[in-house]
Structures are given as structure tokens and as C-alpha cells.
Amino acid sequence: MTQLHPHPTLALNDGRSIPQLGLGVWRTPADETAQAVKAALDAGYRHIDTAAIYGNEAGVGEGLRASGVPRGDVFITTKLWNAEQGLDTTLRVFDASMKLLGLEQLDLYLIHWPCPARGLYVDTWRAFVRLQAEGRVRSIGVSNFEPEHLDCLVQETGVKPVLNQIELHPRFQQHALRDYHAAHGIATQAWSPLGQGKLLADPSIVAIAKKHGKTPAQVIVRWHIEMGHVVIPKSVNAGRIAENADVFGFSLDADDMAAVARLDDSEGRIGPHPSTAEF
Ligand code: NAD
């Protein structure tokens, strides 16, 4: 049996910390979410990433309770959907998410996309600051924010997000945004860390996997860990969920890291550009 390693945590700029590896549940069907979450917790994960728009927050709470892992040992993130931005709506839909999750307190709440044309993300952030002050949520952060949006939040409110969850994988390595985060003490969290599975057949990744006796998915998750990202690969399959977390017994060498660095492609973005995405 695979030995379970305790997952490393990264310090956040509000004094808290986050497990570096989590399970993502985008497009995990609502009726399969509880079993995926339980499989992850059984395999040693202590961090789950959901969102209101995924429609599976109830399954996340159900899986957590079914696992028997104490609530305090698991880090749960959810996200506020774009259509609900604004001070009052945020406070209302936060309560709805918490009811579905079955939680008293959330570990991390994220603004899902900035949607700059709506002009509401600063008001939304003010609601997040209030929720944190009230103790309803421990840490507050954002997703898909560009430097100009991050600058605006800090100028308007003085409160910095703990992290920014962005599209990030070997084919889209986000150098400028990662540098910005490092300079401002904001953690980088990688969404679609496996390139939605498309990178698993890449010849360089496959060669590194063969060399270490690991799978391509493990090589990519390990790359994120060594880069210092928070990483949230998604699977509904218990075997793959366990596989993706079995990355703490090997490391990539300088040649491997250089080979992955060469996969970066400025055209490698899969999702929409955050400055223009409005949905
Ligand atoms: P991903 O990069 O994690 O890839 C998931 C796909 O890879 C799955 O379809 C699965 O079939 C395949 N896969 C996973 N493990 C595998 C393995 N070991 N072997 C073979 N195939 C494997 O893609 P994702 O789901 O888009 O991203 C991960 C998470 O990031 C999401 O679930 C979600 O939580 C988050 N996310 C957030 C945003 C955002 O806007 N904030 C956007 C997209 C995703």
C-alpha cells in the first residue's frame, strides 16, 4: 500500500496556511462529488476546491462528513459567482453556499472572476472583508485577477487577497503574474494544473515520468509543488485521485525542471482572458 505523506502547507499573508495540494471539483457531477471528496480525504488530501457555480457544494459537505476526518483538519474553498457580485448579494449568497456545504465557517472564499466591465469587484471585496471580520470566513482571496485588478483592490480597501487562483500549467506558465504575486506576498494557486488532461501525453512529460517510474500526472503535480504553487488537480476516479497525491516520495532534477520550462507557450491559455471574460 502507498504510504500517505502529510501534505505540505504554504503560509498565507494573513497568518494562516493552506495545504499545497487539494482536490478540484469543477465538472464533477453533483451526485459523484461526495464519493470523490471522501476518496480524496481517505487518500490524505486535506483541501477541497469548489465554487457556487459548480453546483456541487452540498456533495463537498456530504463527502467531508462521510470521511470522518475532523472538520478542523480540512481546508474548504468556495467561490462567489460573477452574477452575484456586489455588497448585498455577496452577503446573501455566501450564506447560501454555507448552507449547502453544511459549514459554520469557511476556510477560503474567492471572487471567481473580476468581470471588470461590471465594476463590482471592489464592492464584492468589501463584503468579503466584512465576512472575514465577522469570523464567517478565515481567509479571503480572488481568482483570475490580473495585476491591475489586484492593485485596485488594495488601493480601494487596503486589504490584500491571500492568493490568486489562476490558469497555470506547463503550457501556460504565467511568469509575469507569478512575479507580481511573489513581489506582493500573494500565493499562486494553479487551476487546470494538468492542462485539463491535455498535457499528460506530452513527450517531455512522458519521458520524465518514465525516468522516475511515475505517471505523467504525478510529474506535473510534482512540478507545481516544486514551483511553490497551490495545486488542485481534478478527478472523480478514486485511483487517479490517490495517484495525483502520491507525489511526495520523489523530486524533479534540474534537467526535468528545464524540460518543463521549455513547454511554456504564450498562446497556451485554455480558458478566457480574465480582463475580457464576462459570463
Ligand atoms: P485539470 O488540469 O485538473 O485536469 C483534469 C482532467 O485530467 C480530468 O478530466 C481528468 O480526467 C484528467 N486526470 C486527472 N488526473 C488524472 C490522472 N492521474 N491520469 C489521467 N488523467 C487524469 O483540470 P480542471 O478540472 O480544469 O482544473 C482543476 C480544478 O481547478 C477544477 O476542478 C477547479 O476546482 C479549478 N478550476 C478553477 C477555475 C477558476 O476559474 N477559478 C477554472 C477551472 C478550474
Side-chain angles (χ1 to χ4, degrees):
M1 192 181 151
T2 307
Q3 201 198 336
L4 295 184
H5 293 257
H7 295 184
T9 57
L10 294 182
L12 299 173
N13 66 27
D14 63 357
R16 300 195 178 273
S17 61
I18 184 169
Q20 206 181 347
L21 178 64
L23 176 75
V25 297
W26 180 39
R27 294 198 282 212
T28 298
D31 61 354
E32 293 176 42
T33 303
Q35 68 81 21
V37 167
K38 182 175 180 304
L41 296 171
D42 289 348
Y45 290 67
R46 291 294 178 267
H47 169 186
I48 310 293
D49 181 86
T50 186
I53 195 70
Y54 301 168
N56 56 20
E57 289 169 309
V60 170
E62 197 186 313
L64 169 62
R65 289 185 294 280
S67 73
V69 177
R71 164 70 189 100
D73 292 354
V74 183
F75 190 102
I76 306 280
T77 301
T78 194
K79 313 183 191 84
L80 173 107
W81 186 238
N82 307 343
E84 320 293 356
Q85 284 199 18
L87 191 58
D88 295 337
T89 42
T90 296
L91 298 173
R92 200 178 67 239
V93 299
F94 175 79
D95 285 341
S97 281
M98 295 302 279
K99 207 166 166 198
L100 287 166
L101 288 161
L103 299 179
E104 292 295 316
Q105 191 183 44
L106 186 67
D107 298 285
L108 177 63
Y109 202 27
L110 302 180
I111 301 180
H112 209 143
W113 292 85
C115 301
R118 294 181 194 211
L120 286 171
Y121 67 78
V122 171
D123 277 353
T124 306
W125 189 242
R126 290 189 211 285
F128 274 43
V129 171
R130 190 193 293 182
L131 289 167
Q132 187 181 36
E134 289 172 353
R136 309 282 325 274
V137 50
R138 288 169 177 264
S139 294
I140 53 176
V142 296
S143 181
N144 300 301
F145 273 47
E146 292 290 308
E148 70 212 75
H149 313 129
L150 293 163
D151 285 343
C152 184
L153 281 190
V154 177
Q155 275 157 19
E156 295 288 326
T157 70
V159 183
K160 209 185 268 188
V162 293
L163 64 72
N164 189 13
Q165 183 181 122
I166 55 171
E167 179 178 346
L168 173 55
H169 43 76
R171 197 153 287 146
F172 194 63
Q173 298 186 19
Q174 295 263 33
H175 294 281
L177 201 41
R178 285 193 289 111
D179 287 350
Y180 177 100
H181 292 165
H184 292 82
I186 295 171
T188 297
Q189 184 170 41
W191 66 250
S192 295
L194 306 174
Q196 298 182 1
K198 294 181 186 78
L199 282 164
L200 300 175
D202 179 275
S204 309
I205 300 288
V206 170
I208 299 169
K210 281 209 178 103
K211 175 171 138 187
H212 292 281
K214 291 292 186 179
T215 68
Q218 288 170 329
V219 166
I220 298 175
V221 174
R222 182 70 208 178
W223 176 78
H224 285 285
I225 296 287
E226 295 194 13
M227 293 292 284
H229 310 154
V230 184
V231 55
I232 47 171
K234 178 254 181 179
S235 177
V236 291
N237 173 295
R240 286 176 171 178
I241 288 171
E243 174 190 323
N244 293 346
D246 184 13
V247 296
F248 298 109
F250 79 112
S251 51
L252 301 178
D253 62 30
D255 289 344
D256 303 331
M257 293 301 280
V260 180
R262 285 193 291 274
L263 298 179
D264 190 26
D265 177 352
S266 58
E267 304 288 307
R269 193 191 283 281
I270 299 171
H273 194 289
S275 293
T276 48
E278 293 292 335
F279 46 82

